[in-house]
Amino acid sequence: MSSSPWTATDPALAGIRDSLIQTLRGYGRVAVAYSGGIDSTVVARAAFEALGDAAVAVTAVSESLAQGELEEAESLAKQIGIRHRLIRTEEFADPNYLRNNSDRCYFCKSELYGRLSGLLGELGVDVIASGANTDDRGEHRPGMRAAGENGVRHPLQECELGKDAVRALAKAWGLPTWDKPATPCLSSRIAYGEAVTPERVRMIDEAEAWLRRQGLRLLRVRYHKNDMARIEVPLDELAKLAAEPVRSELVKVFRDLGFKFVALDLEGFRSGSLNGLIPLESLLVAPTARR
């Protein structure tokens, strides 16, 4: 993780904070699409600073949410003081999502933002805000198309804030997750073309939870064809997992969860490593909705 160029008392950071708050204030009443991750948490905090009870944080609950994430999101929302609402999303009922092509995230975000758009009146808000930051630009993110179709605003991008600035703001605001690793949804661990199923995301969730209990913090368990688990951890953690008795216990645990093969990736942890399997032509063509 890169170190932030700002400190909590840096005047530049105060300017960034004020710009973000002012931007959100200009939205009117706001619903923040709030996962509990660092980006959406900072947007939720800024929205509450800007708008008070005219802001609400909305968390989607489905099988793709890793264990512990909902509880952490609830705790952070309570610390911030913002209204918090849970909604059930049904992306697992969409065959386009389950098919797990390279545009899977489009259908997930369409489900989320579509439901949020239908709740604007009930929530008493005018605008949906996301936690997308400038570091997300240029990455393979089909969900941004769904955001555009539903009029979602991206205050961090509008203020030209990247991950370092977001973490600095979170630290200055005393948010305990300021250095939390990114936690994308469990379905993102499944190789494109392999169907997303509740059973597979459960296997991944339990496997990652076991690794965290071994003291690991930065990790992914990727699901590949024929029930193969490919484990990504930082390079300096590889030897720990390969040494006995951890190796034997790891294999047993993963086999009991349903994995037939267990592999350690010698390249180490890489965020978004499955994107390297996407054909170039798929990255150049916008996803087509097939509802």
Side-chain angles (χ1 to χ4, degrees):
M1 184 182 300
S2 61
S3 59
S4 170
W6 295 288
T7 64
T9 57
D10 193 321
L13 184 61
I16 289 169
R17 175 202 63 208
D18 293 345
S19 174
L20 180 59
I21 291 172
Q22 188 60 35
T23 295
L24 282 156
R25 187 172 290 134
Y27 289 179
R29 304 173 300 174
V30 175
V32 179
Y34 168 69
S35 67
I38 184 63
D39 299 311
S40 63
T41 300
V42 164
V43 173
R45 170 63 191 264
F48 182 69
E49 291 281 334
L51 301 163
D53 287 340
V56 58
V58 183
T59 301
V61 179
S62 77
E63 293 86 349
S64 67
L65 190 64
Q67 58 185 276
E69 291 298 305
L70 177 58
E71 293 80 6
E72 186 168 80
E74 290 177 319
S75 176
L76 286 168
K78 185 175 181 180
Q79 177 181 333
I80 291 169
I82 192 170
R83 287 192 293 145
H84 190 205
R85 173 80 177 267
L86 307 182
I87 61 171
R88 176 77 188 181
T89 55
E90 300 294 344
E91 61 270 25
F92 278 74
D94 184 350
N96 294 308
Y97 178 84
L98 300 180
R99 192 176 294 120
N100 196 25
N101 290 334
S102 60
D103 58 355
R104 180 202 64 245
C105 192
Y106 169 80
F107 300 103
C108 177
K109 294 301 186 183
S110 290
E111 166 71 7
L112 169 62
Y113 294 139
R115 286 186 181 268
L116 270 176
S117 294
L119 290 172
L120 292 181
E122 180 182 331
L123 294 171
V125 299
D126 309 302
V127 177
I128 303 167
S130 87
N133 66 63
T134 58
D135 291 347
D136 298 325
R137 293 173 178 164
E139 294 186 2
H140 177 64
R141 291 185 177 269
M144 293 297 284
R145 179 176 174 239
E149 291 173 351
N150 286 277
V152 177
R153 302 286 294 271
H154 311 295
L156 298 176
Q157 290 189 354
E158 291 177 30
C159 293
E160 294 297 322
L161 302 185
K163 183 67 77 174
D164 284 343
V166 170
R167 291 195 185 280
L169 279 173
K171 188 175 183 180
W173 270 327
L175 297 173
T177 55
W178 69 270
D179 62 345
K180 178 183 178 180
T183 52
C185 80
L186 293 170
S187 297
S188 70
R189 321 289 207 268
I190 300 176
Y192 293 117
E194 298 298 312
V196 173
T197 68
E199 175 62 16
R200 287 175 176 175
V201 296
R202 183 200 63 79
M203 290 163 61
I204 293 165
D205 192 20
E206 293 292 341
E208 292 193 348
W210 185 86
L211 289 170
R212 283 191 292 270
R213 290 195 292 272
Q214 310 316 302
L216 296 167
R217 191 161 181 260
L218 192 60
L219 60 97
R220 293 285 187 272
V221 173
R222 311 286 190 187
Y223 178 96
H224 289 268
K225 189 175 182 178
N226 296 323
D227 295 324
M228 185 183 83
R230 176 170 59 87
I231 302 169
E232 294 180 13
V233 296
L235 292 175
D236 58 2
E237 301 280 9
L238 285 172
K240 174 181 179 179
L241 295 184
E244 298 295 352
V246 175
R247 185 200 66 82
S248 296
E249 186 178 356
L250 186 158
V251 171
K252 181 181 185 306
V253 167
F254 277 51
R255 288 278 179 84
D256 289 346
L257 289 173
F259 291 105
K260 295 184 177 70
F261 306 96
V262 184
L264 281 178
D265 191 321
L266 298 183
E267 285 193 70
F269 175 85
R270 287 142 14 250
S271 181
S273 68
L274 289 175
N275 288 343
L277 304 177
I278 302 174
L280 179 59
E281 57 269 22
S282 297
L283 296 174
L284 297 177
V285 178
T288 302
R290 296 184 296 273
R291 289 195 177 277

